[in-house]
């Protein structure tokens, strides 16, 4: 029979164990969620300000850097920094530094937990380091499972099916298989004749892949990913999208049909103006950047550029890092502005295309380096009106990806890259257009001369001493004209158009000799001679 004392100790131990387990549950239910929501951003797996990491109770108790005050003392809440910081009224000391203070009940729960000795599960596991996530690792070719025969894709699928104990479906019947193939590769269902095609499946696949419709079908998918849009409809403005953006659309289709590598497509869309500045078939790819152009606010434009470049090519949203470090991804606010600095110098424009001088008719929307000395600063809390001008941000990709990036090197660009009017074909096209307009003018002048030929120069002469009215020679408009002293006088100054018009039509070439004197006037004191006037008076030389 066990002694009474032993039974009492066993019961006491059981009660302590139960109490400890309950306290650990309180930690998991009420304490850790608060730490995760409000503290991990600065003191989690990704970032540890002052060397403090709080994603496990043990790390919280271990504290911060050597020489700093203890974060908490189990059993004595008044001795640690944790409660003092979360209850401080000083905005420079209060934690968390951003957002609202902790709720009163949250603070009380933390106090009670510390008083109880800060119990936590023995096997508590902290967060994984986001930098070790598979998405941020260099892509390596894995070994193909199985015996290596057949299509590697099928081998990986078969391995997963076996692992999950799944029975693969039998191959579809040929008509159904062909229908799926046509819809997948060109986006159109097969005709009855195509369903009865006796050729091998592989031959039909090759034919569809070589079809122009293949690029059109898959371009629609990538146009959505890359945010293609037709003309925004704002006259000649290159804004959000432009009436000639179809050049970029056609580049997407052509790139897919020519089996251009995806890596090359990305490079051309982001830097085609530097990769091949004199090749319009490459420069056109920068329509990706021109498409997004926002006329009224450069920061809005660059924010969109950063957001959609990250989403389209990194599969990663960078937006939140504009204002603060990412909480769960290894992207810092400095990373965001380093990424912005890549695009800071660029601008967009329309380049002339061969054979066209009117940019309203056609032109190539593209990006180019406009302000090479543009400086990027970090915006405090994302406010463009509050830049931190103490630190210039150098261009670069997020630090987590920097190990994969090639070093940046300066390049020299040809004159035509920043002065498109210097290209040979531009001058030739304008000269041809001007010669065409000149020929039209000559033809119009010749037809006018034939329709109403004027008198020969040798037969035409007009002279008038102005000793009185001569209605056969002159048509006079306006009031207050007088003939005196061998001259025609305008006696009252005004702002009206007062005209003395010769009635006989002069020859094409003539000589005019006139004696006149300006004798007065107020605002305007001028006289003019007009010739080659049209009937309505809206056009003439003077």
């Amino acid at each position: 029979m066990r002694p009474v004392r032993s039974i009492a100790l066993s019961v006491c131990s059981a009660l302590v164990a139960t109490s400890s387990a309950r306290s650990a549950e309180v930690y998991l239910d009420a304490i850790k969620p608060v730490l995760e929501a409000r503290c991990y951003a600065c003191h989690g797996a990704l970032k540890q300000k002052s060397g403090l990491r709080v994603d496990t109770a043990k790390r919280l108790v271990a504290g911060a850097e050597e020489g700093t005050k203890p974060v908490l003392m189990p059993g004595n809440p008044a001795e640690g920094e944790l409660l003092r910081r979360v209850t401080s009224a000083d905005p420079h000391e209060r934690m968390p530094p951003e957002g609202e203070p902790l709720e009163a009940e949250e603070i009380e729960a933390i106090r009670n937990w510390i008083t109880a000795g800060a119990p936590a599960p023995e096997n508590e596991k902290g967060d994984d380091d986001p930098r070790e996530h598979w998405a941020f690792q260099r892509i390596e070719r894995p070994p193909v499972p199985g015996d290596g025969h057949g299509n590697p894709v099928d081998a990986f699928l078969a391995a997963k099916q076996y692992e999950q104990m799944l029975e693969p479906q039998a191959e579809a019947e040929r008509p159904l298989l062909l229908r799926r193939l046509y819809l997948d590769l060109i986006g159109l269902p097969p005709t009855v004749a195509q369903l009865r095609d006796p050729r091998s499946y592989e031959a039909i696949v090759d034919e569809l892949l070589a079809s122009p419709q293949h690029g059109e079908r898959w371009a629609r998918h990538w146009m959505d990913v890359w945010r293609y849009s037709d003309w925004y409809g704002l006259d000649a403005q290159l804004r959000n999208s432009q009436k000639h953006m179809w050049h970029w659309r056609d580049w997407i289709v052509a790139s897919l049909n020519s089996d251009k590598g995806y890596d090359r497509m990305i490079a051309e869309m982001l830097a085609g103006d530097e990769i091949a500045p004199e090749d319009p078939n490459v420069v056109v790819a920068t329509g990706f950047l021109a498409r997004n152009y926002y006329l009224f606010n450069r920061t809005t434009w660059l924010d969109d550029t950063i957001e959609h470049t990250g989403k389209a090519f990194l599969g990663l949203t960078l937006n939140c890092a504009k204002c603060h470090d990412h909480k769960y991804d290894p992207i810092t606010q400095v990373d965001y502005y380093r990424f912005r600095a890549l695009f800071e110098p660029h601008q967009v424009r329309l380049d002339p295309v061969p054979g066209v001088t009117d940019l309203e008719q056609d032109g190539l929307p593209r990006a180019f380096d406009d302000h090479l000395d543009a400086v990027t600063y970090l915006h405090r809390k994302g406010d463009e009106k509050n830049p931190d001008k103490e630190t210039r941000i150098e261009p670069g990709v997020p630090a987590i990806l920097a190990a994969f990036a090639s070093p940046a090197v300066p390049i020299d660009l040809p004159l035509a890259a920043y002065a498109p009017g210097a290209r040979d074909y531009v001058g030739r096209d304008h000269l041809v257009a001007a010669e065409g307009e000149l020929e039209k003018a000559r033809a119009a002048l010749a037809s006018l001369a034939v329709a109403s030929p004027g008198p020969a120069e040798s037969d035409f002469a007009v002279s008038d001493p102005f000793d009185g009215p001569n209605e056969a020679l002159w048509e006079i408009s306006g009031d207050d004209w007088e003939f005196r002293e061998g001259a025609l006088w305008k006696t009252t100054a005004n702002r009206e158009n007062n005209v003395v018009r010769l009635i006989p039509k002069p020859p094409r070439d003539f000589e005019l000799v006139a004696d006149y004197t300006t004798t007065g006037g107020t605002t305007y004191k001028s006289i003019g001679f007009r010739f080659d006037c049209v009937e309505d008076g809206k056009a003439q030389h003077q």
Side-chain angles (χ1 to χ4, degrees), residues 428-441:
R428 289 196 301 269
D429 288 345
H430 277 279
L431 184 59
V432 169
E435 290 174 344
E437 291 298 317
L438 183 59
E439 285 303 315
K440 290 180 184 178

Side-chain angles (χ1 to χ4, degrees), residues 229-240:
S229 172
D230 279 326
W231 182 31
Y232 194 66
L234 291 173
D235 301 321
Q237 291 181 354
L238 181 55
R239 173 177 166 191
N240 286 45

Side-chain angles (χ1 to χ4, degrees), residues 205-515:
V205 169
D206 289 341
E207 179 182 79
L208 294 180
L209 289 175
S211 166
Q213 283 74 39
H214 173 66
E216 294 171 1
R217 183 260 183 274
W218 280 97
R220 286 179 292 177
H221 166 73
W222 290 112
M223 284 159 62
D224 287 342
V225 173
W226 297 330
R227 302 181 72 248
Y228 174 83
S229 172
D230 279 326
W231 182 31
Y232 194 66
L234 291 173
D235 301 321
Q237 291 181 354
L238 181 55
R239 173 177 166 191
N240 286 45
S241 199
Q242 202 266 355
K243 65 174 65 175
H244 309 314
M245 194 55 70
W246 57 266
H247 285 287
W248 178 43
R249 175 201 66 199
D250 286 3
W251 171 86
I252 298 173
V253 175
S255 296
L256 293 173
N257 278 332
S258 65
D259 203 23
K260 183 178 292 184
Y262 179 66
D263 55 343
R264 177 68 183 190
M265 292 179 73
I266 295 176
E268 290 184 4
M269 279 190 273
L270 296 177
D273 56 312
E274 297 177 348
I275 292 173
E278 294 186 284
D279 186 348
N281 294 320
V282 174
V283 172
V284 62
T286 63
F288 171 80
L289 297 173
R291 149 71 184 90
N292 217 45
Y293 179 63
Y294 185 69
L295 177 65
F296 300 110
N297 187 299
R298 186 170 184 84
T299 290
T300 298
W301 172 31
L302 293 181
D303 285 348
D304 279 351
T305 299
I306 294 165
E307 174 185 353
H308 297 293
T309 300
K311 287 179 177 178
F313 303 126
L314 299 178
L316 186 67
T317 53
L318 304 176
N319 315 33
C320 295
K322 176 185 177 181
C323 304
H324 54 74
D325 294 347
H326 262 193
K327 287 187 175 183
Y328 307 110
D329 296 319
I331 305 296
T332 67
Q333 191 180 16
V334 170
D335 282 334
Y336 182 91
Y337 289 94
R338 290 178 70 221
F339 206 63
R340 169 174 170 146
L342 293 171
F343 303 102
E344 197 79 63
H346 93 290
Q347 186 54 270
V348 299
R349 72 180 186 221
L350 280 177
D351 274 7
V353 296
V356 180
T357 57
D358 182 4
L359 292 178
E360 279 293 287
Q361 181 181 346
D362 196 5
L364 186 67
R366 56 156 299 176
F368 71 104
D369 282 334
D370 189 29
H371 303 290
L372 296 180
D373 56 351
V375 179
T376 299
Y377 299 110
L378 184 143
H379 297 167
R380 296 184 180 94
K381 295 187 178 181
D383 182 3
E384 64 178 296
K385 296 180 181 178
N386 188 19
D388 177 10
K389 293 194 174 181
E390 297 297 320
T391 306
R392 292 176 55 148
I393 304 293
E394 297 300 323
V397 298
I400 187 66
L401 303 174
F404 309 147
S406 302
V409 294
I411 61 171
D412 293 324
L413 295 176
L415 173 65
Y418 48 89
R423 296 170 187 157
D424 291 340
Y425 73 82
V426 177
R428 289 196 301 269
D429 288 345
H430 277 279
L431 184 59
V432 169
E435 290 174 344
E437 291 298 317
L438 183 59
E439 285 303 315
K440 290 180 184 178
R442 285 172 176 163
L445 184 61
S447 64
L448 183 63
V450 171
S452 54
E457 296 177 27
S458 59
D459 298 334
F460 186 85
V462 173
S463 178
D464 193 342
F466 291 109
D467 52 4
N470 188 341
E471 296 181 355
L473 277 182
W474 307 105
E475 177 185 332
I476 301 175
S477 65
D479 299 327
D480 305 321
W481 291 93
E482 292 184 3
F483 290 88
R484 54 185 169 87
E485 302 175 10
L488 177 61
W489 293 70
K490 175 64 179 171
T491 58
T492 303
N494 57 47
R495 297 188 180 187
E496 302 299 323
N497 196 12
N498 300 282
V499 178
V500 178
R501 180 174 179 270
L502 182 66
I503 295 175
K505 185 174 182 178
R508 176 175 174 179
D509 299 317
F510 62 89
E511 181 178 330
L512 171 68
V513 178
D515 294 323

